[in-house]
Amino acid sequence: MDMSSRLLVLQQLAEGCGVSTVQQGLQQVWRLLLLCLTCRLCFRLGVVSTLKHGVSALSGIYCLFLFFELHMLWVLMLCALSYLVLLLSRHSSSRGLFLSVVILIYLLVGELHLIDMVTWHKIRGSQMVVAMKAISLAFDLDRGAVDRLPSPAEYLGYVLFVGTVVFGPWISFSTYTNAVEGTKLSWLWLRSSSLSLLKSQMCLLVSTCIAPYLFPLLIPIHGNTVTQKWLRAYENAVSFHFSNYFVGHLSEGTSMLAGAGFTAEKDNIRWDMSVVKPLSVEMPRSMVLVVTSWNIPMSRWLKTYAFKNAMKLGTFPAILVTYTTSALLHGLSFHLGAVLLSLGFITYVEHVLRKKLASIFRACVLSRPCPSDCGHQHKKEYWVMLLNLVFGLLAIFHLTYLGSMFDPGVDEQEVEEGYAAIHTVQRWSELNWASHWVVFACWLFYRLIQ
């Protein structure tokens, strides 16, 4: 395809796909943004805190109705069940573990027996956010981080906070209470939330109108049958990545617009909520950093309430518990479970291998960047940077493989109901299970040099 033909196709994409995508995106969220702004203004009023919590809860309920209509009742039932368990177990010191089991049973029974698959996938995100908030509150009560059981108004205002109830992210109870106190309106607040919302629309455009046409329309790379398979897999992965960035940046914007997501240092307030770091995923140093940059609040939640509690079992079992928890929160989806458990093995093998190599070569080749005062002898030599680059390219390879199943061209009904197990097996079989074989080879190499 010559340059003039390519430009013509790009113009058609911009006029057809680009304009309609932006219009649909704004049409979906403008009422949510208005509710977030209303809630923020209400928090600034000098009224009793109970009224503020009530406005937060009612705004969240109305927002759920806008997106899910009467299906929102399943989310509200989870809210009520969680508070009832907290109330009945208020004298226990194991509220976190007990509530986690109850919520897990509720989610599994609801998905398997009570709710049809299409409906479940629509409300799954909100169910997950509410579950994470309730579980974190229970563990914080056990640890004394929250000194008392919140009142019903405080609890509902927290779990149904309009800035996070649909798109997330998870926020702690203390973050919510700081938002309710109502920091002053500022240009920085408006600019930060608006910038995140703008980023979300840009990511939506990339996911819908650019990523599916990367090769050979935008990047003229051709190849044999094997190369074409991997190029299509990379397109699918990038499209899926940017759809996640869209949700992440949108949740940043809605949270900050509603008054959450700031850090206060004396009189200096910074609106710096960060949910996703796209550059750390698309140009990664390691798979470990990819996982933490994919959804920063959820990564923090899993580390605090799953990984640390499971560390008594050992490092590798704790990693499996963490990724299993994440998979169960996402629902009984074979493709998500397969990806998350594969990530668990990949990140563990990468971590132990790079830790061993860093010890052998006394070099800064760990999964995470070393601090400036680390004890390694070799820090910025060319071979050190080359080795880190190799691991970065290996991470891109794993991401391409894992993301290959999220095909934007499959039947919409299949997406709504969740990809079937055969879809996952077929996609990875087409790529000869390459990533799993590479991880196995890396593990064997680690065992040989141990």
Side-chain angles (χ1 to χ4, degrees):
M1 183 182 294
D2 57 23
M3 184 58 68
S4 59
S5 301
R6 185 174 286 111
L7 290 174
L8 179 61
V9 174
L10 289 176
Q11 181 181 354
Q12 292 173 345
L13 276 176
E15 293 175 353
C17 180
V19 174
S20 62
T21 298
V22 172
Q23 288 177 343
Q24 291 175 12
L26 293 175
Q27 186 178 2
Q28 287 286 327
V29 302
W30 73 268
R31 289 175 293 186
L32 170 60
L33 301 181
L34 187 60
L35 284 170
C36 290
L37 183 59
T38 301
C39 204
R40 172 81 165 106
L41 295 176
C42 177
F43 289 165
R44 286 292 298 156
L45 299 177
V47 296
V48 294
S49 59
T50 302
L51 182 59
K52 293 181 180 181
H53 295 306
V55 170
S56 175
L58 291 175
S59 300
I61 291 172
Y62 182 57
C63 184
L64 287 173
F65 178 76
L66 289 176
F67 280 86
F68 310 126
E69 297 180 339
L70 291 181
H71 298 310
M72 71 171 186
L73 293 175
W74 294 106
V75 182
L76 298 183
M77 286 174 59
L78 177 59
C79 297
L81 175 64
S82 300
Y83 191 75
L84 179 62
V85 171
L86 288 175
L87 195 62
L88 294 176
S89 62
R90 60 187 179 276
H91 300 301
S92 171
S93 60
S94 303
R95 284 168 288 193
L97 183 59
F98 183 56
L99 181 60
S100 300
V101 173
V102 172
I103 288 178
L104 177 60
I105 293 173
Y106 174 84
L107 295 177
L108 293 178
V109 171
E111 183 172 4
L112 293 174
H113 301 291
L114 301 178
I115 314 174
D116 64 273
M117 196 62 69
V118 174
T119 300
W120 180 261
H121 279 270
K122 286 180 180 179
I123 65 174
R124 183 177 59 188
S126 291
Q127 294 268 48
M128 184 166 62
V129 171
V130 168
M132 290 170 65
K133 286 182 178 180
I135 292 171
S136 67
L137 178 60
F139 276 111
D140 287 344
L141 286 168
D142 290 339
R143 297 169 179 172
V146 177
D147 56 0
R148 62 174 179 82
L149 179 66
S151 67
E154 290 173 317
Y155 173 79
L156 291 175
Y158 169 51
V159 296
L160 296 173
F161 178 55
V162 68
T164 63
V165 72
V166 175
F167 295 103
W170 166 80
I171 59 173
S172 66
F173 184 70
S174 61
T175 299
Y176 167 72
T177 55
N178 289 336
V180 171
E181 290 175 3
T183 57
K184 65 179 181 180
L185 304 178
S186 65
W187 166 247
L188 182 60
W189 158 72
L190 184 61
R191 186 185 68 180
S192 299
S193 53
S194 300
L195 183 60
S196 291
L197 294 172
L198 178 62
K199 288 179 181 177
S200 73
Q201 293 302 309
M202 293 173 62
C203 291
L204 181 62
L205 279 174
V206 173
S207 174
T208 308
C209 304
I210 296 179
Y213 307 99
L214 273 179
F215 307 107
L217 179 59
L218 300 178
I219 304 176
I221 297 179
H222 302 271
N224 56 26
T225 305
V226 176
T227 304
Q228 289 296 323
K229 287 181 180 179
W230 281 96
L231 291 178
R232 283 196 301 272
Y234 185 75
E235 285 179 344
N236 294 345
V238 170
S239 179
F240 175 64
H241 293 176
F242 275 86
S243 67
N244 176 70
Y245 306 150
F246 159 68
V247 174
H249 285 307
L250 179 59
S251 65
E252 290 173 3
T254 56
S255 299
M256 289 189 288
L257 194 62
F262 65 88
T263 53
E265 297 176 357
K266 296 182 179 180
D267 294 331
N268 183 31
I269 295 178
R270 294 184 291 115
W271 294 90
D272 55 358
M273 173 174 272
S274 180
V275 175
V276 290
K277 291 183 178 179
L279 286 179
S280 297
V281 178
E282 301 306 320
M283 294 186 291
R285 173 187 174 90
S286 66
M287 286 299 291
V288 171
L289 289 183
V290 166
V291 170
T292 57
S293 302
W294 183 260
N295 188 322
I296 297 170
M298 184 163 193
S299 175
R300 188 181 303 123
W301 186 92
L302 288 168
K303 180 180 179 181
T304 304
Y305 302 107
F307 182 77
K308 289 184 177 179
N309 286 324
M311 268 301 291
K312 63 187 73 172
L313 304 174
T315 302
F316 183 63
I319 291 175
L320 287 183
V321 168
T322 302
Y323 282 96
T324 302
T325 301
S326 179
L328 291 173
L329 283 171
H330 282 87
L332 294 177
S333 171
F334 181 86
H335 72 287
L336 282 176
V339 168
L340 290 169
L341 291 177
S342 296
L343 275 173
F345 286 100
I346 292 171
T347 52
Y348 172 76
V349 171
E350 179 194 58
H351 169 71
V352 295
L353 176 59
R354 295 182 73 160
K355 185 178 181 180
K356 188 63 180 178
L357 292 176
S359 175
I360 293 173
F361 296 121
R362 292 180 293 174
C364 295
V365 294
L366 294 170
S367 298
R368 299 179 182 275
C370 292
S372 57
D373 58 346
C374 73
H376 293 130
Q377 179 180 348
H378 306 288
K379 299 180 184 291
K380 295 186 178 180
E381 284 86 342
Y382 286 117
W383 65 269
V384 174
M385 291 188 288
L386 179 61
L387 188 54
N388 284 321
L389 176 63
V390 169
F391 277 108
L393 294 174
L394 189 60
I396 294 176
F397 163 77
H398 288 308
L399 286 170
T400 301
Y401 175 84
L402 295 174
S404 62
M405 70 179 71
F406 299 97
D407 189 350
V410 301
D411 181 65
E412 185 176 348
Q413 182 71 17
E414 183 179 357
V415 176
E416 289 181 348
E417 295 182 357
Y419 295 98
I422 189 63
H423 175 83
T424 303
V425 174
Q426 180 182 350
R427 283 286 184 266
W428 284 352
S429 296
E430 290 175 356
L431 301 178
N432 300 311
W433 303 91
S435 179
H436 290 92
W437 284 113
V438 169
V439 172
F440 180 65
C442 289
W443 179 77
L444 284 180
F445 178 63
Y446 161 72
R447 297 296 294 178
L448 287 173
I449 64 176
Q450 192 176 17

